[in-house]
Amino acid sequence: MSNTFLGMPSLPVFGHGNLHATEPFPKAAHRELGNAQLRANLGHATHTIRDKRAKVVAELADWEELRDAGSAIKDATMANLPALLGQFEANFTARGGTVHWARDAQEANQLVTELIRATGETEVVKVKSMATQEIGLNEYLEGQGIAAFETDLAELIVQLDRDKPSHILVPAIHKNRSQIREIFLREMEDVDPALSNEPARLAEAARRHLRRKFLSAKVAVSGANFGLADTGTLAVVESEGNGRMCLTLPETLITVMGIEKLLPRWEDLEVFMQLLPRSSTGERMNPYTSLWTGVTPGDGPQNVHLVLLDNGRTAALADEYGRTALNCIRCSACMNVCPVYERTGGHAYGSTYPGPIGAILSPLMTGITSEENSSLPYASSLCGACYDVCPVKINIPEILVHLRGEDVDSRRAKAKVPSQMDLMMKGAEWAFSSGSRLNLLEKGLPLGKLAAGRDKVIKKLPGLAGGWTQSRDIPAPPEQSFRQWWAKDHEPSTGVVPGNNSSEGGQA
């Protein structure tokens, strides 16, 4: 396919695929909160990972400078993306690879299916890939009679259990080792019935299960962590060696990569090879870093393809405030510190990308107007912990607030009558625009004390304000406001109430 992105002053907005949340976050989160085992698994895993991260990050005196560099590199990439994509395609093609362009999930899935069918094979092995999860490739291939076998241990666990990933880095984070043992005993052939739940024994069982696939597979499908524009090189980092097996043994290698994964220069890897492992697994370096540049005669896959995927990324790039979300390098550090994710898990987000980054990526790439997506920006306390740990300094809280504003504007545009919130804000505008009006309202404070009753707390408010009292009580208001107290005890001679005289411009 020709490169329809190039020669344009900016990237056009194309379609998107399976990124939509399946149900509103509040509904899904309420269900997941009832799973005590899930919360225990998540709590243990996220605390372990973030403690490891904090330790290895503290070893680097220039960590903040590395974050600044990573952010600057990604910003420059997004600003020059059309030209870099053209440069990458030329270099990748010159080294024997073939580039295909996919506007959305449907095009990408069809392309991969055609490439597999051209080999005559009906089975493929897969390297862990968020992009292929995003487009629903496994399910699509199954419908076309092609079996895709996940080779990453956590992805294998999820696939065998017919489940969905709950974490970017550790897809099976919501399962403990006893649950994994039961899955292996139930789903794997030739597994020792005496299999224990020791991690080493579980890993050995998975290794034996996968070895036959590695040695017989003629086709592999991978994702990519980075693409280097100046050399046409692709890079995958992983911890188990399964990626290395998939990238070297098969005859055909098909990679699916989002267009935002580019880096301008080979030298840029120096920055990201320090940022990514420390932020993701709490390691100083990844155990396996695989790089390949096209085809090497007589060594490795001889039939190398790359599907460059848009699937809503140009829509995100067009958002002036949200485009930095595309800088994400999928390290999952934001998820490991998020108090909301730790209690609900990834399934509550309902889309491929969970946690804080998912709460902004999904609405940016597929739109804020659906009920499912519109609830995601509210899945946050805005504590800022995600921003503090992001290796490329994506200001997730700022983007969340921006998307909340878009959601409110969208709802207001659809509504035929003002909402309760609109009326409340209009009332607040009227009251706070004049000191005398505010003083008049403050005289009604004793009524609040009556509403509080003997307990001196207000337990239930009507209408929209009732959302506040669903999980907290409001203390009874004081008998007098600060302004009234000041006028009574500090300015008895004039009776002037602060903010209530004309010389202050009528401001409260």
Short mmCIF file of all heavy atoms in Angstrom, two decimals, residues 330-392:
data_model
loop_
_atom_site.label_atom_id
_atom_site.label_comp_id
_atom_site.label_asym_id
_atom_site.label_seq_id
_atom_site.Cartn_x
_atom_site.Cartn_y
_atom_site.Cartn_z
N ARG A 330 4.55 2.98 27.05
CA ARG A 330 3.90 1.78 27.58
C ARG A 330 4.71 1.13 28.71
O ARG A 330 4.90 -0.08 28.73
CB ARG A 330 3.67 0.75 26.47
CG ARG A 330 2.97 1.27 25.23
CD ARG A 330 1.54 1.69 25.49
NE ARG A 330 0.83 1.89 24.25
CZ ARG A 330 0.69 3.07 23.62
NH1 ARG A 330 1.21 4.15 24.18
NH2 ARG A 330 0.03 3.17 22.50
N CYS A 331 5.18 1.94 29.64
CA CYS A 331 5.98 1.39 30.75
C CYS A 331 5.10 0.94 31.91
O CYS A 331 5.54 0.14 32.74
CB CYS A 331 6.98 2.44 31.24
SG CYS A 331 6.23 3.83 32.13
N SER A 332 3.89 1.49 32.03
CA SER A 332 2.91 1.15 33.07
C SER A 332 3.23 1.74 34.43
O SER A 332 2.56 1.42 35.41
CB SER A 332 2.72 -0.37 33.22
OG SER A 332 3.79 -0.97 33.92
N ALA A 333 4.23 2.63 34.54
CA ALA A 333 4.55 3.23 35.84
C ALA A 333 3.36 3.97 36.42
O ALA A 333 3.15 3.96 37.64
CB ALA A 333 5.75 4.17 35.69
N CYS A 334 2.55 4.61 35.58
CA CYS A 334 1.40 5.37 36.08
C CYS A 334 0.38 4.45 36.74
O CYS A 334 -0.27 4.82 37.73
CB CYS A 334 0.76 6.16 34.95
SG CYS A 334 0.09 5.16 33.59
N MET A 335 0.25 3.23 36.23
CA MET A 335 -0.72 2.29 36.79
C MET A 335 -0.29 1.79 38.16
O MET A 335 -1.12 1.58 39.05
CB MET A 335 -0.90 1.12 35.83
CG MET A 335 -1.38 1.53 34.46
SD MET A 335 -1.22 0.23 33.23
CE MET A 335 -2.35 -0.96 33.89
N ASN A 336 1.02 1.64 38.34
CA ASN A 336 1.53 1.07 39.59
C ASN A 336 1.45 2.03 40.76
O ASN A 336 1.65 1.60 41.90
CB ASN A 336 2.97 0.61 39.38
CG ASN A 336 3.08 -0.49 38.35
OD1 ASN A 336 2.18 -1.31 38.19
ND2 ASN A 336 4.18 -0.50 37.61
N VAL A 337 1.19 3.31 40.50
CA VAL A 337 1.06 4.28 41.59
C VAL A 337 -0.35 4.83 41.72
O VAL A 337 -0.62 5.62 42.62
CB VAL A 337 2.05 5.46 41.41
CG1 VAL A 337 3.48 4.97 41.44
CG2 VAL A 337 1.77 6.24 40.13
N CYS A 338 -1.24 4.42 40.84
CA CYS A 338 -2.59 5.00 40.81
C CYS A 338 -3.48 4.35 41.87
O CYS A 338 -3.71 3.13 41.85
CB CYS A 338 -3.22 4.80 39.44
SG CYS A 338 -4.91 5.43 39.33
N PRO A 339 -4.04 5.13 42.81
CA PRO A 339 -4.90 4.54 43.84
C PRO A 339 -6.21 4.00 43.28
O PRO A 339 -6.80 3.09 43.86
CB PRO A 339 -5.15 5.71 44.80
CG PRO A 339 -4.93 6.94 43.98
CD PRO A 339 -3.86 6.58 42.99
N VAL A 340 -6.66 4.55 42.16
CA VAL A 340 -7.90 4.07 41.55
C VAL A 340 -7.66 2.73 40.88
O VAL A 340 -8.40 1.76 41.11
CB VAL A 340 -8.44 5.10 40.53
CG1 VAL A 340 -9.69 4.55 39.83
CG2 VAL A 340 -8.76 6.41 41.22
N TYR A 341 -6.61 2.64 40.06
CA TYR A 341 -6.31 1.37 39.40
C TYR A 341 -6.05 0.26 40.41
O TYR A 341 -6.49 -0.88 40.23
CB TYR A 341 -5.08 1.52 38.49
CG TYR A 341 -4.63 0.19 37.92
CD1 TYR A 341 -5.21 -0.33 36.78
CD2 TYR A 341 -3.65 -0.56 38.57
CE1 TYR A 341 -4.81 -1.56 36.27
CE2 TYR A 341 -3.25 -1.80 38.07
CZ TYR A 341 -3.84 -2.28 36.94
OH TYR A 341 -3.47 -3.51 36.45
N GLU A 342 -5.34 0.56 41.49
CA GLU A 342 -4.98 -0.47 42.47
C GLU A 342 -6.21 -1.12 43.08
O GLU A 342 -6.18 -2.27 43.49
CB GLU A 342 -4.13 0.17 43.58
CG GLU A 342 -3.63 -0.85 44.60
CD GLU A 342 -2.76 -0.21 45.67
OE1 GLU A 342 -2.00 0.72 45.33
OE2 GLU A 342 -2.85 -0.63 46.84
N ARG A 343 -7.31 -0.40 43.13
CA ARG A 343 -8.52 -0.94 43.75
C ARG A 343 -9.51 -1.54 42.76
O ARG A 343 -10.34 -2.36 43.13
CB ARG A 343 -9.20 0.16 44.58
CG ARG A 343 -8.43 0.48 45.85
CD ARG A 343 -8.75 1.86 46.40
NE ARG A 343 -8.00 2.11 47.64
CZ ARG A 343 -6.72 2.47 47.68
NH1 ARG A 343 -6.04 2.61 46.53
NH2 ARG A 343 -6.10 2.68 48.82
N THR A 344 -9.44 -1.13 41.50
CA THR A 344 -10.41 -1.63 40.53
C THR A 344 -9.81 -2.61 39.53
O THR A 344 -10.53 -3.44 38.97
CB THR A 344 -11.02 -0.46 39.73
OG1 THR A 344 -9.99 0.18 38.97
CG2 THR A 344 -11.66 0.56 40.67
N GLY A 345 -8.50 -2.52 39.27
CA GLY A 345 -7.89 -3.37 38.26
C GLY A 345 -8.17 -2.88 36.86
O GLY A 345 -8.95 -1.95 36.63
N GLY A 346 -7.52 -3.51 35.90
CA GLY A 346 -7.60 -3.05 34.52
C GLY A 346 -8.91 -3.35 33.83
O GLY A 346 -9.32 -2.62 32.92
N HIS A 347 -9.60 -4.41 34.22
CA HIS A 347 -10.84 -4.77 33.53
C HIS A 347 -11.91 -3.70 33.66
O HIS A 347 -12.76 -3.56 32.77
CB HIS A 347 -11.38 -6.10 34.09
CG HIS A 347 -10.53 -7.27 33.73
ND1 HIS A 347 -10.66 -8.50 34.34
CD2 HIS A 347 -9.53 -7.43 32.84
CE1 HIS A 347 -9.79 -9.35 33.83
NE2 HIS A 347 -9.08 -8.71 32.92
N ALA A 348 -11.87 -2.94 34.74
CA ALA A 348 -12.90 -1.91 34.95
C ALA A 348 -12.84 -0.82 33.88
O ALA A 348 -13.86 -0.18 33.60
CB ALA A 348 -12.75 -1.29 36.34
N TYR A 349 -11.67 -0.62 33.28
CA TYR A 349 -11.54 0.42 32.27
C TYR A 349 -12.15 0.00 30.94
O TYR A 349 -12.46 0.84 30.10
CB TYR A 349 -10.07 0.80 32.09
CG TYR A 349 -9.48 1.46 33.30
CD1 TYR A 349 -9.02 0.70 34.38
CD2 TYR A 349 -9.39 2.85 33.40
CE1 TYR A 349 -8.49 1.30 35.52
CE2 TYR A 349 -8.85 3.45 34.54
CZ TYR A 349 -8.41 2.67 35.59
OH TYR A 349 -7.89 3.27 36.72
N GLY A 350 -12.27 -1.31 30.74
CA GLY A 350 -13.04 -1.82 29.61
C GLY A 350 -12.39 -1.71 28.25
O GLY A 350 -12.97 -2.12 27.26
N SER A 351 -11.19 -1.12 28.15
CA SER A 351 -10.55 -0.97 26.85
C SER A 351 -9.14 -1.54 26.91
O SER A 351 -8.69 -1.99 27.96
CB SER A 351 -10.51 0.50 26.44
OG SER A 351 -9.78 1.27 27.37
N THR A 352 -8.44 -1.51 25.79
CA THR A 352 -7.11 -2.13 25.72
C THR A 352 -6.14 -1.51 26.71
O THR A 352 -5.33 -2.20 27.32
CB THR A 352 -6.55 -1.98 24.29
OG1 THR A 352 -7.46 -2.59 23.38
CG2 THR A 352 -5.20 -2.66 24.17
N TYR A 353 -6.21 -0.19 26.87
CA TYR A 353 -5.26 0.52 27.72
C TYR A 353 -5.93 0.93 29.03
O TYR A 353 -6.76 1.84 29.05
CB TYR A 353 -4.72 1.76 26.99
CG TYR A 353 -4.07 1.42 25.68
CD1 TYR A 353 -4.73 1.64 24.47
CD2 TYR A 353 -2.82 0.83 25.64
CE1 TYR A 353 -4.15 1.30 23.26
CE2 TYR A 353 -2.22 0.48 24.43
CZ TYR A 353 -2.89 0.72 23.25
OH TYR A 353 -2.31 0.37 22.06
N PRO A 354 -5.58 0.26 30.13
CA PRO A 354 -6.20 0.59 31.42
C PRO A 354 -5.39 1.64 32.17
O PRO A 354 -4.38 2.15 31.68
CB PRO A 354 -6.17 -0.75 32.16
CG PRO A 354 -4.92 -1.41 31.65
CD PRO A 354 -4.76 -0.97 30.20
N GLY A 355 -5.84 1.94 33.38
CA GLY A 355 -5.11 2.85 34.24
C GLY A 355 -5.17 4.29 33.78
O GLY A 355 -5.92 4.66 32.87
N PRO A 356 -4.33 5.15 34.37
CA PRO A 356 -4.36 6.58 34.02
C PRO A 356 -4.12 6.86 32.55
O PRO A 356 -4.80 7.70 31.95
CB PRO A 356 -3.23 7.16 34.89
CG PRO A 356 -3.15 6.24 36.07
CD PRO A 356 -3.44 4.87 35.52
N ILE A 357 -3.15 6.15 31.93
CA ILE A 357 -2.89 6.41 30.52
C ILE A 357 -4.07 5.97 29.67
O ILE A 357 -4.41 6.61 28.66
CB ILE A 357 -1.57 5.72 30.06
CG1 ILE A 357 -1.17 6.20 28.67
CG2 ILE A 357 -1.69 4.20 30.13
CD1 ILE A 357 -0.86 7.68 28.59
N GLY A 358 -4.72 4.88 30.05
CA GLY A 358 -5.91 4.44 29.31
C GLY A 358 -7.06 5.41 29.45
O GLY A 358 -7.88 5.55 28.52
N ALA A 359 -7.16 6.08 30.59
CA ALA A 359 -8.25 7.03 30.82
C ALA A 359 -8.15 8.24 29.90
O ALA A 359 -9.14 8.95 29.71
CB ALA A 359 -8.24 7.49 32.28
N ILE A 360 -6.95 8.48 29.33
CA ILE A 360 -6.83 9.56 28.36
C ILE A 360 -6.66 9.06 26.93
O ILE A 360 -7.17 9.66 25.99
CB ILE A 360 -5.68 10.54 28.73
CG1 ILE A 360 -4.33 9.84 28.77
CG2 ILE A 360 -5.98 11.22 30.05
CD1 ILE A 360 -3.16 10.78 29.01
N LEU A 361 -5.96 7.93 26.75
CA LEU A 361 -5.72 7.44 25.39
C LEU A 361 -7.01 7.02 24.69
O LEU A 361 -7.25 7.39 23.53
CB LEU A 361 -4.76 6.25 25.41
CG LEU A 361 -3.27 6.53 25.21
CD1 LEU A 361 -2.48 5.24 25.24
CD2 LEU A 361 -3.01 7.29 23.91
N SER A 362 -7.85 6.27 25.36
CA SER A 362 -9.06 5.77 24.72
C SER A 362 -9.98 6.89 24.27
O SER A 362 -10.43 6.91 23.11
CB SER A 362 -9.80 4.80 25.65
OG SER A 362 -9.01 3.65 25.89
N PRO A 363 -10.29 7.89 25.13
CA PRO A 363 -11.13 9.00 24.66
C PRO A 363 -10.47 9.83 23.56
O PRO A 363 -11.15 10.30 22.64
CB PRO A 363 -11.34 9.84 25.93
CG PRO A 363 -11.12 8.91 27.06
CD PRO A 363 -10.06 7.97 26.59
N LEU A 364 -9.15 10.01 23.64
CA LEU A 364 -8.47 10.80 22.62
C LEU A 364 -8.49 10.10 21.27
O LEU A 364 -8.64 10.75 20.22
CB LEU A 364 -7.02 11.06 23.04
CG LEU A 364 -6.80 12.12 24.11
CD1 LEU A 364 -5.37 12.06 24.64
CD2 LEU A 364 -7.09 13.52 23.57
N MET A 365 -8.35 8.78 21.26
CA MET A 365 -8.25 8.05 20.01
C MET A 365 -9.59 7.66 19.42
O MET A 365 -9.71 7.48 18.20
CB MET A 365 -7.37 6.80 20.21
CG MET A 365 -5.91 7.15 20.48
SD MET A 365 -4.89 5.74 20.99
CE MET A 365 -4.87 4.74 19.52
N THR A 366 -10.61 7.52 20.26
CA THR A 366 -11.91 7.08 19.75
C THR A 366 -13.04 8.04 20.06
O THR A 366 -14.19 7.77 19.71
CB THR A 366 -12.27 5.68 20.31
OG1 THR A 366 -12.42 5.77 21.73
CG2 THR A 366 -11.19 4.68 20.01
N GLY A 367 -12.74 9.15 20.74
CA GLY A 367 -13.78 10.15 20.96
C GLY A 367 -14.34 10.11 22.37
O GLY A 367 -14.44 9.05 22.99
N ILE A 368 -14.74 11.27 22.86
CA ILE A 368 -15.21 11.41 24.23
C ILE A 368 -16.72 11.27 24.33
O ILE A 368 -17.28 11.20 25.43
CB ILE A 368 -14.79 12.80 24.79
CG1 ILE A 368 -14.99 12.90 26.30
CG2 ILE A 368 -15.54 13.93 24.07
CD1 ILE A 368 -14.06 12.04 27.11
N THR A 369 -17.42 11.20 23.19
CA THR A 369 -18.87 11.34 23.22
C THR A 369 -19.61 10.08 23.68
O THR A 369 -20.74 10.19 24.15
CB THR A 369 -19.39 11.74 21.83
OG1 THR A 369 -18.94 10.78 20.86
CG2 THR A 369 -18.86 13.11 21.44
N SER A 370 -19.00 8.89 23.55
CA SER A 370 -19.72 7.69 23.98
C SER A 370 -19.82 7.65 25.50
O SER A 370 -18.95 8.19 26.21
CB SER A 370 -19.03 6.42 23.48
OG SER A 370 -17.81 6.22 24.17
N GLU A 371 -20.87 7.02 26.00
CA GLU A 371 -21.06 6.95 27.46
C GLU A 371 -19.89 6.24 28.14
O GLU A 371 -19.46 6.63 29.22
CB GLU A 371 -22.36 6.21 27.77
CG GLU A 371 -22.66 6.12 29.27
CD GLU A 371 -23.91 5.32 29.57
OE1 GLU A 371 -24.51 4.77 28.61
OE2 GLU A 371 -24.29 5.23 30.75
N GLU A 372 -19.36 5.21 27.47
CA GLU A 372 -18.26 4.45 28.07
C GLU A 372 -16.98 5.29 28.15
O GLU A 372 -16.32 5.36 29.18
CB GLU A 372 -18.00 3.18 27.25
CG GLU A 372 -19.15 2.19 27.26
CD GLU A 372 -20.25 2.56 26.27
OE1 GLU A 372 -20.02 3.47 25.44
OE2 GLU A 372 -21.33 1.97 26.32
N ASN A 373 -16.62 5.94 27.04
CA ASN A 373 -15.41 6.74 27.04
C ASN A 373 -15.53 7.99 27.89
O ASN A 373 -14.55 8.44 28.50
CB ASN A 373 -15.05 7.14 25.60
CG ASN A 373 -14.19 6.11 24.91
OD1 ASN A 373 -13.82 5.10 25.50
ND2 ASN A 373 -13.88 6.34 23.65
N SER A 374 -16.71 8.58 27.94
CA SER A 374 -16.87 9.84 28.67
C SER A 374 -16.68 9.66 30.17
O SER A 374 -16.38 10.62 30.88
CB SER A 374 -18.26 10.44 28.39
OG SER A 374 -19.29 9.61 28.91
N SER A 375 -16.84 8.44 30.67
CA SER A 375 -16.66 8.21 32.10
C SER A 375 -15.20 8.01 32.49
O SER A 375 -14.83 8.18 33.65
CB SER A 375 -17.49 6.99 32.55
OG SER A 375 -16.96 5.79 31.99
N LEU A 376 -14.34 7.68 31.52
CA LEU A 376 -12.95 7.35 31.84
C LEU A 376 -12.15 8.52 32.42
O LEU A 376 -11.38 8.33 33.36
CB LEU A 376 -12.24 6.80 30.61
CG LEU A 376 -12.66 5.38 30.18
CD1 LEU A 376 -11.97 4.99 28.88
CD2 LEU A 376 -12.35 4.37 31.27
N PRO A 377 -12.29 9.76 31.91
CA PRO A 377 -11.51 10.85 32.50
C PRO A 377 -11.84 11.14 33.95
O PRO A 377 -11.07 11.83 34.63
CB PRO A 377 -11.87 12.06 31.61
CG PRO A 377 -12.26 11.45 30.30
CD PRO A 377 -12.97 10.19 30.67
N TYR A 378 -12.95 10.60 34.44
CA TYR A 378 -13.32 10.81 35.84
C TYR A 378 -12.79 9.69 36.74
O TYR A 378 -12.98 9.73 37.96
CB TYR A 378 -14.84 10.90 35.98
CG TYR A 378 -15.45 12.03 35.18
CD1 TYR A 378 -15.94 11.82 33.89
CD2 TYR A 378 -15.49 13.33 35.70
CE1 TYR A 378 -16.47 12.86 33.15
CE2 TYR A 378 -16.03 14.37 34.96
CZ TYR A 378 -16.52 14.13 33.69
OH TYR A 378 -17.04 15.17 32.95
N ALA A 379 -12.11 8.71 36.13
CA ALA A 379 -11.57 7.58 36.90
C ALA A 379 -10.22 7.97 37.50
O ALA A 379 -9.21 7.30 37.30
CB ALA A 379 -11.43 6.35 36.01
N SER A 380 -10.20 9.06 38.23
CA SER A 380 -8.95 9.58 38.78
C SER A 380 -9.25 10.53 39.93
O SER A 380 -10.24 11.25 39.92
CB SER A 380 -8.17 10.33 37.69
OG SER A 380 -7.07 11.02 38.25
N SER A 381 -8.36 10.51 40.91
CA SER A 381 -8.46 11.47 42.02
C SER A 381 -7.66 12.74 41.72
O SER A 381 -7.66 13.67 42.52
CB SER A 381 -7.92 10.83 43.30
OG SER A 381 -6.53 10.56 43.17
N LEU A 382 -6.97 12.78 40.55
CA LEU A 382 -6.12 13.91 40.15
C LEU A 382 -5.02 14.17 41.18
O LEU A 382 -4.61 15.30 41.40
CB LEU A 382 -6.96 15.18 39.94
CG LEU A 382 -8.03 15.11 38.85
CD1 LEU A 382 -8.78 16.44 38.76
CD2 LEU A 382 -7.43 14.76 37.50
N CYS A 383 -4.53 13.09 41.81
CA CYS A 383 -3.49 13.25 42.83
C CYS A 383 -2.14 13.61 42.22
O CYS A 383 -1.26 14.13 42.91
CB CYS A 383 -3.37 11.98 43.66
SG CYS A 383 -2.72 10.54 42.75
N GLY A 384 -1.95 13.33 40.93
CA GLY A 384 -0.72 13.69 40.25
C GLY A 384 0.40 12.68 40.35
O GLY A 384 1.49 12.90 39.81
N ALA A 385 0.18 11.55 41.02
CA ALA A 385 1.25 10.55 41.16
C ALA A 385 1.67 10.01 39.80
O ALA A 385 2.85 9.71 39.58
CB ALA A 385 0.78 9.41 42.06
N CYS A 386 0.73 9.89 38.87
CA CYS A 386 1.05 9.37 37.53
C CYS A 386 2.01 10.31 36.80
O CYS A 386 2.94 9.85 36.12
CB CYS A 386 -0.24 9.17 36.73
SG CYS A 386 -1.33 10.61 36.69
N TYR A 387 1.80 11.60 36.93
CA TYR A 387 2.69 12.59 36.30
C TYR A 387 4.08 12.53 36.91
O TYR A 387 5.10 12.64 36.21
CB TYR A 387 2.07 13.97 36.45
CG TYR A 387 2.86 15.10 35.82
CD1 TYR A 387 3.57 14.93 34.64
CD2 TYR A 387 2.86 16.36 36.40
CE1 TYR A 387 4.27 15.98 34.06
CE2 TYR A 387 3.56 17.42 35.83
CZ TYR A 387 4.26 17.22 34.66
OH TYR A 387 4.96 18.25 34.10
N ASP A 388 4.14 12.34 38.21
CA ASP A 388 5.43 12.31 38.91
C ASP A 388 6.32 11.16 38.45
O ASP A 388 7.55 11.29 38.46
CB ASP A 388 5.22 12.22 40.42
CG ASP A 388 4.61 13.48 41.01
OD1 ASP A 388 4.70 14.53 40.35
OD2 ASP A 388 4.03 13.41 42.11
N VAL A 389 5.73 10.02 38.08
CA VAL A 389 6.54 8.86 37.71
C VAL A 389 6.67 8.66 36.21
O VAL A 389 7.48 7.83 35.78
CB VAL A 389 5.97 7.56 38.33
CG1 VAL A 389 5.96 7.64 39.85
CG2 VAL A 389 4.58 7.24 37.79
N CYS A 390 5.91 9.38 35.40
CA CYS A 390 5.95 9.17 33.94
C CYS A 390 7.35 9.48 33.41
O CYS A 390 7.86 10.59 33.59
CB CYS A 390 4.93 10.06 33.25
SG CYS A 390 4.98 9.89 31.44
N PRO A 391 8.00 8.53 32.74
CA PRO A 391 9.37 8.75 32.27
C PRO A 391 9.48 9.79 31.16
O PRO A 391 10.57 10.31 30.91
CB PRO A 391 9.80 7.37 31.78
CG PRO A 391 8.54 6.68 31.44
CD PRO A 391 7.52 7.17 32.42
N VAL A 392 8.36 10.10 30.48
CA VAL A 392 8.40 11.13 29.44
C VAL A 392 7.53 12.33 29.81
O VAL A 392 7.16 13.14 28.96
CB VAL A 392 7.98 10.55 28.06
CG1 VAL A 392 9.06 9.61 27.54
CG2 VAL A 392 6.64 9.84 28.14
#
